[in-house]
Amino acid sequence: MTPTLTLTDVSGSTLTEAVCLSFRLEKERYTPFTTLTARFLTSRSDFGNPASVAFRLDNQLLHQGVLDGLTMTKQKGMQTVQVSSRGFTSLLMQNQMAAGMLTGVTLQSLMEKYTVPGVTYESGITQTNYVWVKEGTSQWDAIVNYGYKYNQGYPYISGANQVRLTRSDGTSITIGGDALLSTGCGLDYTRMVSHIHMADADGNADAFSLENADATARNIARHRQISLDLQYAANPADCLAQKLRYSMRAYQGDRAVYPGYHGEDLERHITLGSFAAGYISRMIVTGAGGRITTEVHLYRDKFCNLPEAT
C-alpha cells in the first residue's frame, strides 16, 4: 500500500509527498477526531502557509484535518518533513454553543449551528424534543447529549470526518488466526465512578443519587456531585445512569495486532481468528520501512460491543 501526504495552503494550492518514512494514525471510540503523525522524504525547501493535511493509503482518504505542527529537517543530505494533525471534527469541541433550550432538535440542526470544513454527518436521524445547552457547552457536547436522547448511545467519527450515531453498513473484516502478530486483553478501572449525586432545583445536593453496582463489586468508592442538569429535568435518573455508563468507557476489552490495513474503521465488525470478534472501538495504523501494521481494540463496556451486538 502506498501512503501519500497532501498539504493544502491558504490559497487552496496543494503539495503532495509520496515517499513515506513513517506514520501513525489513530482513531478511538470516545475521541471525536483522528490523529496523525507522519514523516516523509521531500525535495522541497518550503511548504508556504499550509492550512490542512490529508493522508491516504492507496488513494483511500483516512485523515483530513488541521495542521498542528510541521517540522523540516535536513541531515546527511536527506531532507524530511514531519507533520502532526487532528481531524477537522476536533473543531466541534472548540465551538461554543449559546446557552438555553433548543427545541425540535436533529443532528442536522446541531451540525449546522457552526459549519466546520470537511465535516459531514449521518443523515436520516429523527428529531428529539429538546436539548438543553449549559453555559460553556461545546458543539460536540451538545451532539453527545442529543445522541443519548436519540438512542442512549454515544456518537463517534466514521471515515475521516463523519459524525455518526448508528453503525454504517459494511462487510465484516476477517483476519485469520495465523496472521495475528499478537493478541491480548485488558482492564481499566481508573475512571469508574461508584456513586453519582445530583442536586435538585433548590440546591439539595443529594436529591438524586445512583449507585454503580459494577464499581462497588470491585471495591471502588468514587462519589461525584453534580448540579441539576436541565437536559434531564423530566427524568433525573436517566442523567445519572448516562454519567455512570460513561465513567465505565473502555473499562475492558480485547486487542490484536496484524500486518496490513484492510479497511478498518470504528464500529466496523471484525473477526480475529478464533481469538475474538466484535466491533472496532480503537484502531492504530502504523507504517515504517515499507511495512504497515494495524492494531485494533474491541471495547466491551456500556456503549460498545454489548452482548447482543457481537
Side-chain angles (χ1 to χ4, degrees), residues 126-144:
T126 56
Q127 175 178 297
T128 190
N129 289 337
Y130 73 94
V131 169
W132 179 262
V133 178
K134 295 186 291 186
E135 192 75 34
T137 294
S138 71
Q139 191 175 10
W140 177 253
D141 289 336
I143 294 167
V144 169

Side-chain angles (χ1 to χ4, degrees), residues 184-303:
C185 58
L187 300 170
D188 183 354
Y189 297 161
T190 57
R191 294 181 290 262
M192 194 179 293
V193 173
S194 63
H195 299 78
I196 190 160
H197 313 276
M198 185 168 70
D200 61 15
D202 296 323
N204 299 312
D206 293 318
F208 309 103
S209 297
L210 188 63
E211 176 182 315
N212 182 356
D214 288 302
T216 55
R218 292 166 171 79
N219 298 308
I220 293 172
R222 294 192 187 104
H223 290 252
R224 296 290 184 268
Q225 296 278 352
I226 62 174
S227 58
L228 178 64
D229 190 341
L230 294 177
Q231 172 71 24
Y232 300 91
N235 189 356
D238 206 30
C239 171
L240 304 183
Q242 190 267 354
K243 294 184 183 302
L244 289 182
R245 289 177 69 189
Y246 184 66
S247 80
M248 295 179 67
R249 63 196 181 277
Y251 84 101
Q252 63 179 353
D254 304 311
R255 68 181 184 279
V257 180
Y258 48 87
Y261 172 74
H262 309 269
E264 292 84 353
D265 200 359
L266 294 182
E267 291 294 339
R268 186 167 181 185
H269 191 272
I270 190 168
T271 299
L272 302 163
S274 60
F275 169 66
Y279 294 92
I280 298 171
S281 310
R282 182 188 180 197
M283 52 179 279
I284 304 167
V285 186
T286 56
R291 298 183 59 187
I292 294 175
T293 302
T294 298
E295 176 180 337
V296 295
H297 294 242
L298 313 180
Y299 297 162
R300 304 193 186 280
D301 58 23
K302 301 299 182 179
F303 293 108

Side-chain angles (χ1 to χ4, degrees), residues 57 78 112 214 251:
L57 279 179
M78 183 175 72
E112 290 179 351
D214 288 302
Y251 84 101

